[in-house]
């Protein structure tokens, strides 16, 4: 099993500096962003698609640093009905699969995407509690008319490329928990579409990630190491479905997520927040988590995703790496 990091948090560093940092932290794996919600600062995609020599030189930089390129990350919304977002994110995913095949990278991480509620919709619509039949109508449209045809095509492309597409079960997507992931696999007949096991988005839904691994079994292809801290006092008041987000002021350069969409600001008293490995859950979680992943695939990559806003780039990565590596030793992997 390789323990590494998703390098988006080091977007302001060069690739060579980023790989050096990972090596100094004792990590051996890197996951590189290739499009979707954010840019691709660590990979010259067009150059690599066009030139075998460029691909050889690019992989040589990893070999020199002692780091293995274990995955691409193309998280976005390829099903977004917004014409400025969905088509681009879908194209980014298809291109990521193509490039992965050329580089011998076997994993591409993404999200399932989220369509509108009906034909002609211009905004994505997340249905999570369909007690009214109109919401089942919306789900039927989202699955049957949009998601299943799109993902059948992605499955075919991934199989042809011998690349596994790993879906992060992320709220505000049609696939956000183990049953919806299994539904997508079954309805598309997928062999090369499965799970990226990121526990952080399962924790705040009340899902046990280790139980999720047991449930999905060999449909888990890849994993993220990101923790979540549940703030119990805030949950008692606001619950986990919390709408107190606010717009990021323009003078603070909000992160563009595609088209006219930008990243909002979290509530000041969040019910839950993303934290570095070990700051939400201790070894009593991370050790069995790694053991369960190892049982599925001893060669699986587990890459840190640093989104702890209380820690800076290096501090957060260092703490996460120390705790993840220590958990790996205790897990015997």
């Amino acid at each position: 099993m390789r323990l590494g990091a998703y390098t988006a948090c080091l977007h302001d560093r060069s690739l060579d500096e980023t790989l050096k940092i990972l090596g100094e932290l004792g990590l051996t794996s890197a996951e590189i962003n290739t499009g979707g919600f954010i840019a691709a600062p660590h990979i010259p995609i067009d150059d690599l698609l066009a030139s075998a020599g460029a691909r050889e030189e690019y992989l040589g930089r990893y070999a020199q640093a002692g780091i293995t390129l274990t995955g691409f990350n193309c998280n976005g919304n390829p099903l977004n009905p917004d014409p400025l977002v969905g088509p681009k994110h879908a194209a980014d995913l298809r291109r990521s699969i193509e490039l992965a095949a050329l580089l011998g990278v076997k994993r591409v991480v993404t999200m399932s995407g989220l369509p509108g509620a009906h034909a002609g919709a211009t905004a994505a619509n997340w249905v999570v509690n369909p007690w009214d039949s109109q919401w089942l109508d919306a789900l039927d449209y989202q699955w049957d008319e949009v998601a299943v045809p799109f993902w059948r095509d992605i499955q075919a492309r991934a199989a042809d490329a011998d690349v596994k597409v790993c879906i992060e079960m992320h709220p505000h997507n049609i696939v956000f928990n183990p049953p919806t992931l299994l539904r997508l696999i079954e309805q598309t007949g997928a062999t090369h579409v499965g799970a990226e096991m990121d526990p952080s988005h399962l924790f705040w839904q009340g899902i046990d990630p280790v139980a999720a691994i047991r449930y999905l079994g060999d449909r888990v292809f890849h994993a993220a190491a990101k923790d979540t801290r549940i703030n119990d006092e805030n949950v008692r008041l606001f619950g986990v479905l919390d709408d107190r987000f606010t717009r990021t002021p323009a003078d603070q350069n909000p992160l563009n997520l595609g088209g006219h969409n930008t990243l909002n600001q979290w509530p000041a008293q969040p019910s839950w927040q993303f934290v570095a490995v070990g700051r939400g859950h201790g070894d009593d979680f991370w050790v069995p988590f790694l053991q369960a992943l190892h049982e599925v695939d001893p060669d699986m990559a587990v890459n840190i995703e640093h989104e702890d806003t209380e820690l800076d780039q290096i501090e957060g990565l260092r703490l996460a790496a120390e705790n993840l590596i220590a958990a790996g030793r205790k897990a015997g992997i």
Side-chain angles (χ1 to χ4, degrees), residues 249-316:
D251 61 3
Q252 294 183 22
N253 298 316
L255 177 66
N256 183 274
L257 299 175
H260 304 294
N261 305 324
T262 58
L263 184 65
N264 291 328
Q265 293 184 333
W266 282 66
Q269 296 176 298
S271 296
W272 51 270
Q273 60 200 105
F274 300 130
V275 292
V277 172
R279 284 181 20 96
H281 298 78
D283 283 348
D284 57 334
F285 166 74
W286 288 102
V287 170
F289 177 73
L290 293 175
Q291 289 172 332
L293 292 172
H294 189 267
E295 290 172 10
V296 172
D297 179 3
D299 295 324
M300 188 177 299
V302 183
N303 293 323
I304 294 164
E305 184 177 2
H306 173 40
E307 292 186 7
D308 191 328
T309 58
E310 297 174 345
L311 303 174
D312 69 22
Q313 295 165 296
I314 304 302
E315 182 185 17

